[in-house]
Amino acid sequence: MTSARRSLCATVLLCEAITLGLTTPVMITLGDVPRGTALAVGLGLALACLLTAGLLRAAWAYWIGHAIQVAAIGLGFVVGFMFVLGPVFALLWGVAFRVGGRIERERAEAYATQAEGEPERESDS
């Protein structure tokens, strides 16, 4: 069974990777950022999103996801529109993290309740 939190957070990171990758040409053309720096920052953050999405089986990977959100907002100092998109992705990340955890807890409670009820049904037969 896949983790709800992992699935939701990975989806956010994959969408964010596309957005961060697309900031690279914007940094070069509109931000007057040197090509090498823009490639390193834009594509580096996109790659970090992709790698982190794959590492979300480990609890520590979520901390990297949190750091990526901060970096995406900080990219707004170079590409002003990231001051809008960065917080949107940070909000999506936070909601995915929180709601995914809630889904996991509710599933665990439902399985525990179901497991407790099964022996009683067997003894009734």
Side-chain angles (χ1 to χ4, degrees):
M1 176 170 47
T2 59
S3 163
R5 178 179 282 171
R6 182 172 64 228
S7 298
L8 291 172
C9 288
T11 302
V12 171
L13 287 172
L14 294 175
C15 292
E16 192 169 11
I18 295 167
T19 303
L20 290 170
L22 291 173
T23 62
T24 303
V26 175
M27 284 190 277
I28 295 169
T29 56
L30 299 177
D32 294 328
V33 176
R35 187 177 307 265
T37 304
L39 287 170
V41 172
L43 297 181
L45 281 173
L47 181 61
C49 286
L50 295 175
L51 292 174
T52 304
L55 293 172
L56 288 177
R57 290 177 188 222
W60 54 265
Y62 290 95
W63 289 104
I64 297 173
H66 296 317
I68 289 171
Q69 304 314 310
V70 172
I73 294 169
L75 192 56
F77 289 108
V78 180
V79 179
F81 200 67
M82 286 306 293
F83 279 133
V84 175
L85 288 178
V88 168
F89 276 109
L91 178 65
L92 289 172
W93 171 261
V95 168
F97 187 81
R98 187 174 175 128
V99 170
R102 185 178 313 144
I103 290 170
E104 289 173 1
R105 281 190 302 278
E106 289 174 2
R107 280 184 185 170
E109 290 171 3
Y111 289 138
T113 303
Q114 185 180 24
E116 289 174 1
E118 286 179 8
E120 293 173 11
R121 279 188 242 146
E122 290 177 8
S123 62
D124 291 339
S125 325

